[in-house]
Amino acid sequence: MSQPSSELMIEARAVEKWYPNGFQALRGANLTVRRGEVVVIMGPSGSGKSTFIRTFNALEDFQKGSITVDGIVLSNDLRNIDAVRREVGMVFQQFNLFPHLSVLDNLTLAPVLVRKRPKAEVEQQAWALLERVGIAEQAGKYPGQLSGGQQQRVAIARALCMEPRILLFDEPTSSLDPEMVREVLEVMQNLAAEEITMVVVTHEVKFARHVAHRVVLMADGEVVEEAEPEVFFTNPSHQRTRRFLDQIL
Amino acid sequence: MKHLLRRLRAELFATRADAALSLVLISLISLGAIGFLRWAFTQAQWAVVKVNSTLFAVGRYPVEQQWRLWLLTALLIAASGATWGLIRAHPRPDRTGVLWPRNDRLAVVLLSLIALALPLALDLSLAIAGRWWGLTVLLVVCRWLAGRFGARLSPAGQRLAALVWPVLYLVGMVLISGGLGLVTVSPSEWGGLMLTLLASSFAILLCFPIGVLLALGRRSDLPLLRWGSVLYIEFIRGAPLITLLFLGQNILGFLLPGGLAPDRIWRAAWVLTFFAAAYLAEAVRSGLAAVPRGQLEAARSLGLSYPKALQHVVLPQALRVALPAIVGQFISLLQDTTLLSLIGLLELLGTARTVMANPAFLGRNGEVYLTLALLFWGCCAALGLGSRALERRLDPHALPSAT
Ligand SMILES: Nc1ncnc2c1ncn2[C@@H]1O[C@H](COP(=O)(O)OP(=O)(O)OP(=O)(O)O)[C@@H](O)[C@H]1O
Ligand SMILES: [Mg+2]
């Protein structure tokens, strides 16, 4: 496991968010993530995990507090938002592959359009990435022709093709059949061994235990507990965490 | 043969009730068919169609300028053949190696047979029939050439090749109306099938971008844009086309800058465009609604700007879903052009009415209307076939899934 440096990649301070219907989903959530670190976020359904990590790449806005990502202060400035999204990749629960594009084109679309890189060069990189997640032979197929596990691995490769410095995962294995969960977790585990910073919302205890540097519990729009995996799972300091662990373990 | 009989028996005469129903239907159909054929071959006098075939085709377009229309037809056919061949030469990435639809060859053969037989059946003069045969050969040759050598075309070259169509449209405009050294033929001399196709293609081409913009406007976050689009769409959809056509003849001259609406024909074409755009917007909207939110989010999280995400991710999927509805709109637009005859334009129906008003052809309405119906049916069938081929080419997996 690589050791995180002390450089801050994500710094979220007292973030508060209200949805347009008036519901407050974040109530002063705090989190810092250092470069190269793997942070797992756990918590009961509806506690605001998705909302929180989606603020990190400006898919959701927030009303109070501050978020700095890789030195960029998130504000409503559009240029800022584009800059952040180029640095931060995201993997969704529902994969969200582009069904009208072949697997290879799913990977090359953004680098060619956004980074303006030559298509041939990007394709080469895309092949290498598909190789790495173990589905190079499917490059010509369409997402609808792949299994869920394969689709999620393509989605990871697609995010990597933009060469992000941070990868966000929102329950990447929750809509997969059990036998496919492992292949995706393996890919993620290999990633974790590299430079890249990862924030992962997941209920996979084994992944959190063995891969994460830190595990975080969210409840009611706040970060309640923050500890190393060993401590988090065996000796958490908060009652709320114990109750949560009792439910899932 | 035995197999066929057994199958017929299984499908039509399985039970007693089935058999009775089948017999009744078969005799009804035969009666109708026999009656129709008797009429078509003994009573009908097709001279009215033969004599007026040029009138039906191009109206009162000056004879000595008609070579321009032949040239345009030849260009269009060459471009169609080349496009057809190019599509053949570039199968979908996951289908390389699979023979492109076998019925594609069948289509060529059928088309050639029709092109060979139709001029003979219509008893056209040899000069004219010869031209049609020449055009058929042109189509087949262009398709073959493009299919043979098109595979070597780079993606950039393909995009360039697609540009042929808009260029051809402009060339066609010049060929039809004159200018640039050609004698001007004023719109009042256009007519027949040519005018029908001109008005409908103009409206189809322009209503498409307008309709897409309206559909996007209807989903916009900007209240002014949203309400403007809604108002426009609902106003147009609430008014019958014929009233809009009359309205257009009266007020469009004020609304559009002078150069754009000088003639009745163009005014009518603009009204058709604006009318169709409202319906198209609704078709596109249903397509947009079918694309899951996650698609836009995924595109945005990859750094695509909103317009780029729309262009490359959301719209291709939405239009794929909306394609059948859109083509349905185009087909009804084509048929709606018959209303132009009510504002005094001599498109197909208008031409037909002048022909039937001629005492020499008194009582020949059946023949004329049947010809019109067949012409329209041919155009609509072509649109429908094209759209189905496009649908099949765009992947079935390309449909947005519900997840
Ligand atoms: N668009 C929205 N409008 C209003 N409320 C919302 C919206 N999206 C989420 N919420 C609410 O915000 C709260 C937090 O939602 P969020 O999706 O962040 O939870 P989560 O921790 O990711 O839950 P899960 O484990 O079910 O994914 C929930 O109570 C949810 O009902
Ligand atoms: Mg969630």
Side-chain angles (χ1 to χ4, degrees), chain B residues 70-83 138-139 165 168-169:
Chain B
W70 281 107
L71 177 61
L72 177 58
T73 314
L75 288 175
L76 285 173
I77 281 181
S80 309
T83 308
L138 183 67
L139 178 78
W165 283 102
L168 204 54
Y169 200 81

Side-chain angles (χ1 to χ4, degrees), chain A residues 19-21 23 25 43-52 170-171 203:
Chain A
Y19 276 109
N21 65 0
F23 179 81
S45 179
S47 56
K49 308 180 295 292
S50 298
T51 309
F52 196 31
D170 190 0
E171 307 205 25
H203 297 299

Side-chain angles (χ1 to χ4, degrees), chain A residues 54 85 97-100 162, chain B residues 294-295 297 300 302 312 317:
Chain A
R54 285 159 60 92
R85 285 189 180 143
L97 291 179
F98 306 135
H100 61 300
M162 277 296 280
Chain B
Q295 290 291 310
E297 286 178 353
R300 299 289 274 142
L302 284 167
H312 294 277
Q317 296 180 59

Side-chain angles (χ1 to χ4, degrees), chain B residues 16-174:
Chain B
R16 211 165 274 186
D18 274 9
L21 195 61
S22 294
L23 280 180
V24 171
L25 283 177
I26 290 173
S27 35
L28 277 179
I29 293 172
S30 321
L31 270 181
I34 291 170
F36 174 76
L37 288 176
R38 255 227 321 264
W39 172 80
F41 286 105
T42 61
Q43 276 184 314
Q45 295 175 14
W46 295 102
V48 59
V49 178
K50 280 176 209 158
V51 173
N52 295 302
S53 60
T54 310
L55 202 61
F56 281 124
V58 297
R60 304 219 167 275
Y61 205 85
V63 181
E64 69 281 2
Q65 297 298 332
Q66 277 173 16
W67 61 269
R68 283 152 50 172
L69 304 181
W70 281 107
L71 177 61
L72 177 58
T73 314
L75 288 175
L76 285 173
I77 281 181
S80 309
T83 308
W84 189 351
L86 270 185
I87 291 174
R88 259 182 71 90
H90 293 272
R92 264 170 28 196
D94 63 333
R95 293 259 173 97
T96 38
V98 182
L99 194 68
W100 211 61
R102 235 166 305 145
N103 47 22
D104 177 72
R105 293 229 174 104
L106 192 69
V108 178
V109 174
L110 270 180
L111 211 64
S112 310
L113 283 181
I114 291 176
L116 191 72
L118 207 57
L120 289 179
L122 285 176
D123 205 10
L124 297 178
S125 74
L126 208 59
I128 304 274
R131 282 182 210 179
W132 283 113
W133 293 334
L135 289 174
T136 315
V137 174
L138 183 67
L139 178 78
V140 174
V141 168
C142 284
R143 170 182 168 276
W144 184 78
L145 280 178
R148 190 71 205 263
F149 302 107
R152 295 184 205 154
L153 216 57
S154 64
Q158 285 176 50
R159 245 167 285 142
L160 219 61
L163 271 184
V164 165
W165 283 102
V167 169
L168 204 54
Y169 200 81
L170 296 179
V171 170
M173 285 292 184
V174 173

